[in-house]
Amino acid sequence: MKTYRIKSLGILTFAKFQGVMGLFIGLLLGILYSFGGLILDTLVSLGWIQSTETPGLSIGTILAFGALLGMPLIFSVLGFLLGWVEAFLFNFVSRWFEGMNLKFLVKE
């Protein structure tokens, strides 16, 4: 095992990484929200289930598909901002501590 010590992070690099991760998480959640709502609204419209929360298929169902664009956008922006703050705080705090140790198994 080899141990490497990280003493600082590239703030912009880490922020971009977190933004991309947020994009993928937002896309996954947007798909779940949009299609889950479509299935629920369809079942209510067919009369297979009763719900006081939704009238069934309506304009709200169509608007829910805006989550396919909105959630990835929001999550990527918030991920970028959070990554910037995290990297900044890591670099600030690691001045007083020894950084972070990572251990890697190296096959020879």
mmCIF file with all atom_site columns, all heavy atoms in Angstrom, residues 12-36:
data_model
loop_
_atom_site.group_PDB
_atom_site.id
_atom_site.type_symbol
_atom_site.label_atom_id
_atom_site.label_alt_id
_atom_site.label_comp_id
_atom_site.label_asym_id
_atom_site.label_entity_id
_atom_site.label_seq_id
_atom_site.pdbx_PDB_ins_code
_atom_site.Cartn_x
_atom_site.Cartn_y
_atom_site.Cartn_z
_atom_site.occupancy
_atom_site.B_iso_or_equiv
_atom_site.pdbx_formal_charge
_atom_site.auth_seq_id
_atom_site.auth_comp_id
_atom_site.auth_asym_id
_atom_site.auth_atom_id
_atom_site.pdbx_PDB_model_num
ATOM 1   N N   . LEU A 1 12 ? -11.385 25.409 -8.465  1.00 0.00 ? 12 LEU A N   1
ATOM 2   C CA  . LEU A 1 12 ? -12.218 25.366 -9.667  1.00 0.00 ? 12 LEU A CA  1
ATOM 3   C C   . LEU A 1 12 ? -12.383 23.935 -10.169 1.00 0.00 ? 12 LEU A C   1
ATOM 4   O O   . LEU A 1 12 ? -13.475 23.540 -10.597 1.00 0.00 ? 12 LEU A O   1
ATOM 5   C CB  . LEU A 1 12 ? -11.623 26.261 -10.755 1.00 0.00 ? 12 LEU A CB  1
ATOM 6   C CG  . LEU A 1 12 ? -12.470 26.422 -12.005 1.00 0.00 ? 12 LEU A CG  1
ATOM 7   C CD1 . LEU A 1 12 ? -13.826 27.014 -11.650 1.00 0.00 ? 12 LEU A CD1 1
ATOM 8   C CD2 . LEU A 1 12 ? -11.758 27.289 -13.019 1.00 0.00 ? 12 LEU A CD2 1
ATOM 9   N N   . THR A 1 13 ? -11.332 23.132 -10.095 1.00 0.00 ? 13 THR A N   1
ATOM 10  C CA  . THR A 1 13 ? -11.399 21.744 -10.545 1.00 0.00 ? 13 THR A CA  1
ATOM 11  C C   . THR A 1 13 ? -12.394 20.959 -9.706  1.00 0.00 ? 13 THR A C   1
ATOM 12  O O   . THR A 1 13 ? -13.230 20.218 -10.235 1.00 0.00 ? 13 THR A O   1
ATOM 13  C CB  . THR A 1 13 ? -10.011 21.084 -10.458 1.00 0.00 ? 13 THR A CB  1
ATOM 14  O OG1 . THR A 1 13 ? -9.098  21.855 -11.231 1.00 0.00 ? 13 THR A OG1 1
ATOM 15  C CG2 . THR A 1 13 ? -10.049 19.668 -10.964 1.00 0.00 ? 13 THR A CG2 1
ATOM 16  N N   . PHE A 1 14 ? -12.318 21.095 -8.395  1.00 0.00 ? 14 PHE A N   1
ATOM 17  C CA  . PHE A 1 14 ? -13.226 20.376 -7.516  1.00 0.00 ? 14 PHE A CA  1
ATOM 18  C C   . PHE A 1 14 ? -14.656 20.884 -7.681  1.00 0.00 ? 14 PHE A C   1
ATOM 19  O O   . PHE A 1 14 ? -15.608 20.096 -7.649  1.00 0.00 ? 14 PHE A O   1
ATOM 20  C CB  . PHE A 1 14 ? -12.775 20.500 -6.057  1.00 0.00 ? 14 PHE A CB  1
ATOM 21  C CG  . PHE A 1 14 ? -13.490 19.552 -5.140  1.00 0.00 ? 14 PHE A CG  1
ATOM 22  C CD1 . PHE A 1 14 ? -13.215 18.198 -5.179  1.00 0.00 ? 14 PHE A CD1 1
ATOM 23  C CD2 . PHE A 1 14 ? -14.427 20.016 -4.248  1.00 0.00 ? 14 PHE A CD2 1
ATOM 24  C CE1 . PHE A 1 14 ? -13.876 17.317 -4.342  1.00 0.00 ? 14 PHE A CE1 1
ATOM 25  C CE2 . PHE A 1 14 ? -15.099 19.145 -3.400  1.00 0.00 ? 14 PHE A CE2 1
ATOM 26  C CZ  . PHE A 1 14 ? -14.817 17.794 -3.447  1.00 0.00 ? 14 PHE A CZ  1
ATOM 27  N N   . ALA A 1 15 ? -14.819 22.184 -7.880  1.00 0.00 ? 15 ALA A N   1
ATOM 28  C CA  . ALA A 1 15 ? -16.153 22.748 -8.087  1.00 0.00 ? 15 ALA A CA  1
ATOM 29  C C   . ALA A 1 15 ? -16.774 22.204 -9.371  1.00 0.00 ? 15 ALA A C   1
ATOM 30  O O   . ALA A 1 15 ? -17.968 21.867 -9.404  1.00 0.00 ? 15 ALA A O   1
ATOM 31  C CB  . ALA A 1 15 ? -16.090 24.272 -8.127  1.00 0.00 ? 15 ALA A CB  1
ATOM 32  N N   . LYS A 1 16 ? -15.977 22.093 -10.441 1.00 0.00 ? 16 LYS A N   1
ATOM 33  C CA  . LYS A 1 16 ? -16.492 21.530 -11.692 1.00 0.00 ? 16 LYS A CA  1
ATOM 34  C C   . LYS A 1 16 ? -16.876 20.068 -11.516 1.00 0.00 ? 16 LYS A C   1
ATOM 35  O O   . LYS A 1 16 ? -17.906 19.617 -12.024 1.00 0.00 ? 16 LYS A O   1
ATOM 36  C CB  . LYS A 1 16 ? -15.465 21.675 -12.815 1.00 0.00 ? 16 LYS A CB  1
ATOM 37  C CG  . LYS A 1 16 ? -15.331 23.103 -13.316 1.00 0.00 ? 16 LYS A CG  1
ATOM 38  C CD  . LYS A 1 16 ? -14.522 23.189 -14.577 1.00 0.00 ? 16 LYS A CD  1
ATOM 39  C CE  . LYS A 1 16 ? -13.057 23.048 -14.286 1.00 0.00 ? 16 LYS A CE  1
ATOM 40  N NZ  . LYS A 1 16 ? -12.209 23.304 -15.475 1.00 0.00 ? 16 LYS A NZ  1
ATOM 41  N N   . PHE A 1 17 ? -16.062 19.322 -10.785 1.00 0.00 ? 17 PHE A N   1
ATOM 42  C CA  . PHE A 1 17 ? -16.373 17.917 -10.520 1.00 0.00 ? 17 PHE A CA  1
ATOM 43  C C   . PHE A 1 17 ? -17.696 17.792 -9.774  1.00 0.00 ? 17 PHE A C   1
ATOM 44  O O   . PHE A 1 17 ? -18.558 16.981 -10.143 1.00 0.00 ? 17 PHE A O   1
ATOM 45  C CB  . PHE A 1 17 ? -15.238 17.272 -9.713  1.00 0.00 ? 17 PHE A CB  1
ATOM 46  C CG  . PHE A 1 17 ? -15.566 15.909 -9.193  1.00 0.00 ? 17 PHE A CG  1
ATOM 47  C CD1 . PHE A 1 17 ? -15.574 14.819 -10.046 1.00 0.00 ? 17 PHE A CD1 1
ATOM 48  C CD2 . PHE A 1 17 ? -15.879 15.710 -7.862  1.00 0.00 ? 17 PHE A CD2 1
ATOM 49  C CE1 . PHE A 1 17 ? -15.884 13.552 -9.583  1.00 0.00 ? 17 PHE A CE1 1
ATOM 50  C CE2 . PHE A 1 17 ? -16.190 14.456 -7.380  1.00 0.00 ? 17 PHE A CE2 1
ATOM 51  C CZ  . PHE A 1 17 ? -16.192 13.371 -8.248  1.00 0.00 ? 17 PHE A CZ  1
ATOM 52  N N   . GLN A 1 18 ? -17.880 18.591 -8.736  1.00 0.00 ? 18 GLN A N   1
ATOM 53  C CA  . GLN A 1 18 ? -19.114 18.548 -7.968  1.00 0.00 ? 18 GLN A CA  1
ATOM 54  C C   . GLN A 1 18 ? -20.312 18.997 -8.816  1.00 0.00 ? 18 GLN A C   1
ATOM 55  O O   . GLN A 1 18 ? -21.417 18.485 -8.657  1.00 0.00 ? 18 GLN A O   1
ATOM 56  C CB  . GLN A 1 18 ? -19.009 19.430 -6.717  1.00 0.00 ? 18 GLN A CB  1
ATOM 57  C CG  . GLN A 1 18 ? -18.091 18.889 -5.658  1.00 0.00 ? 18 GLN A CG  1
ATOM 58  C CD  . GLN A 1 18 ? -18.661 17.679 -4.976  1.00 0.00 ? 18 GLN A CD  1
ATOM 59  O OE1 . GLN A 1 18 ? -18.562 16.558 -5.469  1.00 0.00 ? 18 GLN A OE1 1
ATOM 60  N NE2 . GLN A 1 18 ? -19.260 17.890 -3.837  1.00 0.00 ? 18 GLN A NE2 1
ATOM 61  N N   . GLY A 1 19 ? -20.085 19.945 -9.723  1.00 0.00 ? 19 GLY A N   1
ATOM 62  C CA  . GLY A 1 19 ? -21.153 20.378 -10.621 1.00 0.00 ? 19 GLY A CA  1
ATOM 63  C C   . GLY A 1 19 ? -21.602 19.271 -11.553 1.00 0.00 ? 19 GLY A C   1
ATOM 64  O O   . GLY A 1 19 ? -22.799 19.082 -11.780 1.00 0.00 ? 19 GLY A O   1
ATOM 65  N N   . VAL A 1 20 ? -20.656 18.506 -12.077 1.00 0.00 ? 20 VAL A N   1
ATOM 66  C CA  . VAL A 1 20 ? -20.997 17.380 -12.958 1.00 0.00 ? 20 VAL A CA  1
ATOM 67  C C   . VAL A 1 20 ? -21.715 16.292 -12.168 1.00 0.00 ? 20 VAL A C   1
ATOM 68  O O   . VAL A 1 20 ? -22.690 15.702 -12.644 1.00 0.00 ? 20 VAL A O   1
ATOM 69  C CB  . VAL A 1 20 ? -19.738 16.836 -13.657 1.00 0.00 ? 20 VAL A CB  1
ATOM 70  C CG1 . VAL A 1 20 ? -20.023 15.539 -14.376 1.00 0.00 ? 20 VAL A CG1 1
ATOM 71  C CG2 . VAL A 1 20 ? -19.188 17.864 -14.633 1.00 0.00 ? 20 VAL A CG2 1
ATOM 72  N N   . MET A 1 21 ? -21.255 16.033 -10.952 1.00 0.00 ? 21 MET A N   1
ATOM 73  C CA  . MET A 1 21 ? -21.933 15.042 -10.118 1.00 0.00 ? 21 MET A CA  1
ATOM 74  C C   . MET A 1 21 ? -23.360 15.492 -9.821  1.00 0.00 ? 21 MET A C   1
ATOM 75  O O   . MET A 1 21 ? -24.300 14.686 -9.860  1.00 0.00 ? 21 MET A O   1
ATOM 76  C CB  . MET A 1 21 ? -21.165 14.818 -8.812  1.00 0.00 ? 21 MET A CB  1
ATOM 77  C CG  . MET A 1 21 ? -19.818 14.159 -9.003  1.00 0.00 ? 21 MET A CG  1
ATOM 78  S SD  . MET A 1 21 ? -19.898 12.568 -9.821  1.00 0.00 ? 21 MET A SD  1
ATOM 79  C CE  . MET A 1 21 ? -20.755 11.628 -8.603  1.00 0.00 ? 21 MET A CE  1
ATOM 80  N N   . GLY A 1 22 ? -23.551 16.770 -9.535  1.00 0.00 ? 22 GLY A N   1
ATOM 81  C CA  . GLY A 1 22 ? -24.886 17.307 -9.301  1.00 0.00 ? 22 GLY A CA  1
ATOM 82  C C   . GLY A 1 22 ? -25.773 17.185 -10.526 1.00 0.00 ? 22 GLY A C   1
ATOM 83  O O   . GLY A 1 22 ? -26.973 16.914 -10.413 1.00 0.00 ? 22 GLY A O   1
ATOM 84  N N   . LEU A 1 23 ? -25.189 17.365 -11.713 1.00 0.00 ? 23 LEU A N   1
ATOM 85  C CA  . LEU A 1 23 ? -25.943 17.223 -12.954 1.00 0.00 ? 23 LEU A CA  1
ATOM 86  C C   . LEU A 1 23 ? -26.502 15.817 -13.084 1.00 0.00 ? 23 LEU A C   1
ATOM 87  O O   . LEU A 1 23 ? -27.685 15.634 -13.383 1.00 0.00 ? 23 LEU A O   1
ATOM 88  C CB  . LEU A 1 23 ? -25.042 17.552 -14.149 1.00 0.00 ? 23 LEU A CB  1
ATOM 89  C CG  . LEU A 1 23 ? -25.681 17.357 -15.512 1.00 0.00 ? 23 LEU A CG  1
ATOM 90  C CD1 . LEU A 1 23 ? -26.454 18.598 -15.893 1.00 0.00 ? 23 LEU A CD1 1
ATOM 91  C CD2 . LEU A 1 23 ? -24.626 17.053 -16.539 1.00 0.00 ? 23 LEU A CD2 1
ATOM 92  N N   . PHE A 1 24 ? -25.668 14.811 -12.841 1.00 0.00 ? 24 PHE A N   1
ATOM 93  C CA  . PHE A 1 24 ? -26.131 13.430 -12.961 1.00 0.00 ? 24 PHE A CA  1
ATOM 94  C C   . PHE A 1 24 ? -27.166 13.074 -11.898 1.00 0.00 ? 24 PHE A C   1
ATOM 95  O O   . PHE A 1 24 ? -28.150 12.399 -12.186 1.00 0.00 ? 24 PHE A O   1
ATOM 96  C CB  . PHE A 1 24 ? -24.952 12.455 -12.904 1.00 0.00 ? 24 PHE A CB  1
ATOM 97  C CG  . PHE A 1 24 ? -24.112 12.479 -14.145 1.00 0.00 ? 24 PHE A CG  1
ATOM 98  C CD1 . PHE A 1 24 ? -22.757 12.698 -14.056 1.00 0.00 ? 24 PHE A CD1 1
ATOM 99  C CD2 . PHE A 1 24 ? -24.672 12.289 -15.391 1.00 0.00 ? 24 PHE A CD2 1
ATOM 100 C CE1 . PHE A 1 24 ? -21.970 12.725 -15.194 1.00 0.00 ? 24 PHE A CE1 1
ATOM 101 C CE2 . PHE A 1 24 ? -23.909 12.317 -16.538 1.00 0.00 ? 24 PHE A CE2 1
ATOM 102 C CZ  . PHE A 1 24 ? -22.546 12.537 -16.437 1.00 0.00 ? 24 PHE A CZ  1
ATOM 103 N N   . ILE A 1 25 ? -26.965 13.544 -10.680 1.00 0.00 ? 25 ILE A N   1
ATOM 104 C CA  . ILE A 1 25 ? -27.936 13.287 -9.618  1.00 0.00 ? 25 ILE A CA  1
ATOM 105 C C   . ILE A 1 25 ? -29.258 13.986 -9.936  1.00 0.00 ? 25 ILE A C   1
ATOM 106 O O   . ILE A 1 25 ? -30.333 13.409 -9.775  1.00 0.00 ? 25 ILE A O   1
ATOM 107 C CB  . ILE A 1 25 ? -27.378 13.729 -8.249  1.00 0.00 ? 25 ILE A CB  1
ATOM 108 C CG1 . ILE A 1 25 ? -26.211 12.823 -7.848  1.00 0.00 ? 25 ILE A CG1 1
ATOM 109 C CG2 . ILE A 1 25 ? -28.461 13.732 -7.179  1.00 0.00 ? 25 ILE A CG2 1
ATOM 110 C CD1 . ILE A 1 25 ? -25.416 13.318 -6.665  1.00 0.00 ? 25 ILE A CD1 1
ATOM 111 N N   . GLY A 1 26 ? -29.193 15.226 -10.416 1.00 0.00 ? 26 GLY A N   1
ATOM 112 C CA  . GLY A 1 26 ? -30.402 15.951 -10.794 1.00 0.00 ? 26 GLY A CA  1
ATOM 113 C C   . GLY A 1 26 ? -31.135 15.292 -11.945 1.00 0.00 ? 26 GLY A C   1
ATOM 114 O O   . GLY A 1 26 ? -32.366 15.260 -11.967 1.00 0.00 ? 26 GLY A O   1
ATOM 115 N N   . LEU A 1 27 ? -30.389 14.750 -12.906 1.00 0.00 ? 27 LEU A N   1
ATOM 116 C CA  . LEU A 1 27 ? -31.024 14.058 -14.023 1.00 0.00 ? 27 LEU A CA  1
ATOM 117 C C   . LEU A 1 27 ? -31.738 12.808 -13.536 1.00 0.00 ? 27 LEU A C   1
ATOM 118 O O   . LEU A 1 27 ? -32.889 12.541 -13.918 1.00 0.00 ? 27 LEU A O   1
ATOM 119 C CB  . LEU A 1 27 ? -29.984 13.705 -15.083 1.00 0.00 ? 27 LEU A CB  1
ATOM 120 C CG  . LEU A 1 27 ? -30.519 13.044 -16.344 1.00 0.00 ? 27 LEU A CG  1
ATOM 121 C CD1 . LEU A 1 27 ? -31.507 13.953 -17.056 1.00 0.00 ? 27 LEU A CD1 1
ATOM 122 C CD2 . LEU A 1 27 ? -29.374 12.682 -17.267 1.00 0.00 ? 27 LEU A CD2 1
ATOM 123 N N   . LEU A 1 28 ? -31.094 12.038 -12.678 1.00 0.00 ? 28 LEU A N   1
ATOM 124 C CA  . LEU A 1 28 ? -31.722 10.832 -12.138 1.00 0.00 ? 28 LEU A CA  1
ATOM 125 C C   . LEU A 1 28 ? -32.986 11.183 -11.352 1.00 0.00 ? 28 LEU A C   1
ATOM 126 O O   . LEU A 1 28 ? -34.043 10.566 -11.546 1.00 0.00 ? 28 LEU A O   1
ATOM 127 C CB  . LEU A 1 28 ? -30.739 10.082 -11.236 1.00 0.00 ? 28 LEU A CB  1
ATOM 128 C CG  . LEU A 1 28 ? -31.298 8.865  -10.514 1.00 0.00 ? 28 LEU A CG  1
ATOM 129 C CD1 . LEU A 1 28 ? -31.640 7.768  -11.502 1.00 0.00 ? 28 LEU A CD1 1
ATOM 130 C CD2 . LEU A 1 28 ? -30.319 8.373  -9.478  1.00 0.00 ? 28 LEU A CD2 1
ATOM 131 N N   . LEU A 1 29 ? -32.897 12.174 -10.484 1.00 0.00 ? 29 LEU A N   1
ATOM 132 C CA  . LEU A 1 29 ? -34.063 12.564 -9.693  1.00 0.00 ? 29 LEU A CA  1
ATOM 133 C C   . LEU A 1 29 ? -35.155 13.192 -10.552 1.00 0.00 ? 29 LEU A C   1
ATOM 134 O O   . LEU A 1 29 ? -36.345 13.008 -10.287 1.00 0.00 ? 29 LEU A O   1
ATOM 135 C CB  . LEU A 1 29 ? -33.652 13.517 -8.572  1.00 0.00 ? 29 LEU A CB  1
ATOM 136 C CG  . LEU A 1 29 ? -32.754 12.895 -7.501  1.00 0.00 ? 29 LEU A CG  1
ATOM 137 C CD1 . LEU A 1 29 ? -32.347 13.949 -6.485  1.00 0.00 ? 29 LEU A CD1 1
ATOM 138 C CD2 . LEU A 1 29 ? -33.439 11.733 -6.828  1.00 0.00 ? 29 LEU A CD2 1
ATOM 139 N N   . GLY A 1 30 ? -34.765 13.918 -11.595 1.00 0.00 ? 30 GLY A N   1
ATOM 140 C CA  . GLY A 1 30 ? -35.754 14.486 -12.516 1.00 0.00 ? 30 GLY A CA  1
ATOM 141 C C   . GLY A 1 30 ? -36.525 13.401 -13.250 1.00 0.00 ? 30 GLY A C   1
ATOM 142 O O   . GLY A 1 30 ? -37.740 13.496 -13.444 1.00 0.00 ? 30 GLY A O   1
ATOM 143 N N   . ILE A 1 31 ? -35.827 12.342 -13.658 1.00 0.00 ? 31 ILE A N   1
ATOM 144 C CA  . ILE A 1 31 ? -36.485 11.213 -14.321 1.00 0.00 ? 31 ILE A CA  1
ATOM 145 C C   . ILE A 1 31 ? -37.452 10.528 -13.357 1.00 0.00 ? 31 ILE A C   1
ATOM 146 O O   . ILE A 1 31 ? -38.599 10.233 -13.720 1.00 0.00 ? 31 ILE A O   1
ATOM 147 C CB  . ILE A 1 31 ? -35.431 10.222 -14.869 1.00 0.00 ? 31 ILE A CB  1
ATOM 148 C CG1 . ILE A 1 31 ? -34.691 10.846 -16.047 1.00 0.00 ? 31 ILE A CG1 1
ATOM 149 C CG2 . ILE A 1 31 ? -36.073 8.901  -15.267 1.00 0.00 ? 31 ILE A CG2 1
ATOM 150 C CD1 . ILE A 1 31 ? -33.471 10.070 -16.498 1.00 0.00 ? 31 ILE A CD1 1
ATOM 151 N N   . LEU A 1 32 ? -36.993 10.280 -12.135 1.00 0.00 ? 32 LEU A N   1
ATOM 152 C CA  . LEU A 1 32 ? -37.873 9.640  -11.149 1.00 0.00 ? 32 LEU A CA  1
ATOM 153 C C   . LEU A 1 32 ? -39.109 10.486 -10.858 1.00 0.00 ? 32 LEU A C   1
ATOM 154 O O   . LEU A 1 32 ? -40.224 9.975  -10.792 1.00 0.00 ? 32 LEU A O   1
ATOM 155 C CB  . LEU A 1 32 ? -37.104 9.376  -9.853  1.00 0.00 ? 32 LEU A CB  1
ATOM 156 C CG  . LEU A 1 32 ? -36.049 8.283  -9.907  1.00 0.00 ? 32 LEU A CG  1
ATOM 157 C CD1 . LEU A 1 32 ? -35.258 8.258  -8.610  1.00 0.00 ? 32 LEU A CD1 1
ATOM 158 C CD2 . LEU A 1 32 ? -36.678 6.939  -10.178 1.00 0.00 ? 32 LEU A CD2 1
ATOM 159 N N   . TYR A 1 33 ? -38.920 11.788 -10.695 1.00 0.00 ? 33 TYR A N   1
ATOM 160 C CA  . TYR A 1 33 ? -40.032 12.686 -10.379 1.00 0.00 ? 33 TYR A CA  1
ATOM 161 C C   . TYR A 1 33 ? -41.023 12.755 -11.541 1.00 0.00 ? 33 TYR A C   1
ATOM 162 O O   . TYR A 1 33 ? -42.236 12.629 -11.348 1.00 0.00 ? 33 TYR A O   1
ATOM 163 C CB  . TYR A 1 33 ? -39.496 14.078 -10.051 1.00 0.00 ? 33 TYR A CB  1
ATOM 164 C CG  . TYR A 1 33 ? -40.568 15.080 -9.712  1.00 0.00 ? 33 TYR A CG  1
ATOM 165 C CD1 . TYR A 1 33 ? -41.140 15.102 -8.452  1.00 0.00 ? 33 TYR A CD1 1
ATOM 166 C CD2 . TYR A 1 33 ? -41.005 16.002 -10.652 1.00 0.00 ? 33 TYR A CD2 1
ATOM 167 C CE1 . TYR A 1 33 ? -42.128 16.018 -8.137  1.00 0.00 ? 33 TYR A CE1 1
ATOM 168 C CE2 . TYR A 1 33 ? -41.991 16.919 -10.351 1.00 0.00 ? 33 TYR A CE2 1
ATOM 169 C CZ  . TYR A 1 33 ? -42.551 16.928 -9.093  1.00 0.00 ? 33 TYR A CZ  1
ATOM 170 O OH  . TYR A 1 33 ? -43.531 17.828 -8.779  1.00 0.00 ? 33 TYR A OH  1
ATOM 171 N N   . SER A 1 34 ? -40.525 12.940 -12.759 1.00 0.00 ? 34 SER A N   1
ATOM 172 C CA  . SER A 1 34 ? -41.399 13.111 -13.919 1.00 0.00 ? 34 SER A CA  1
ATOM 173 C C   . SER A 1 34 ? -42.189 11.853 -14.231 1.00 0.00 ? 34 SER A C   1
ATOM 174 O O   . SER A 1 34 ? -43.413 11.888 -14.368 1.00 0.00 ? 34 SER A O   1
ATOM 175 C CB  . SER A 1 34 ? -40.575 13.503 -15.139 1.00 0.00 ? 34 SER A CB  1
ATOM 176 O OG  . SER A 1 34 ? -39.942 14.735 -14.924 1.00 0.00 ? 34 SER A OG  1
ATOM 177 N N   . PHE A 1 35 ? -41.493 10.738 -14.341 1.00 0.00 ? 35 PHE A N   1
ATOM 178 C CA  . PHE A 1 35 ? -42.176 9.516  -14.721 1.00 0.00 ? 35 PHE A CA  1
ATOM 179 C C   . PHE A 1 35 ? -42.971 8.917  -13.561 1.00 0.00 ? 35 PHE A C   1
ATOM 180 O O   . PHE A 1 35 ? -44.012 8.289  -13.777 1.00 0.00 ? 35 PHE A O   1
ATOM 181 C CB  . PHE A 1 35 ? -41.193 8.513  -15.322 1.00 0.00 ? 35 PHE A CB  1
ATOM 182 C CG  . PHE A 1 35 ? -40.750 8.914  -16.697 1.00 0.00 ? 35 PHE A CG  1
ATOM 183 C CD1 . PHE A 1 35 ? -39.528 9.520  -16.885 1.00 0.00 ? 35 PHE A CD1 1
ATOM 184 C CD2 . PHE A 1 35 ? -41.572 8.728  -17.790 1.00 0.00 ? 35 PHE A CD2 1
ATOM 185 C CE1 . PHE A 1 35 ? -39.119 9.913  -18.154 1.00 0.00 ? 35 PHE A CE1 1
ATOM 186 C CE2 . PHE A 1 35 ? -41.184 9.113  -19.055 1.00 0.00 ? 35 PHE A CE2 1
ATOM 187 C CZ  . PHE A 1 35 ? -39.952 9.714  -19.232 1.00 0.00 ? 35 PHE A CZ  1
ATOM 188 N N   . GLY A 1 36 ? -42.502 9.113  -12.336 1.00 0.00 ? 36 GLY A N   1
ATOM 189 C CA  . GLY A 1 36 ? -43.291 8.674  -11.184 1.00 0.00 ? 36 GLY A CA  1
ATOM 190 C C   . GLY A 1 36 ? -44.602 9.427  -11.102 1.00 0.00 ? 36 GLY A C   1
ATOM 191 O O   . GLY A 1 36 ? -45.664 8.838  -10.846 1.00 0.00 ? 36 GLY A O   1
#
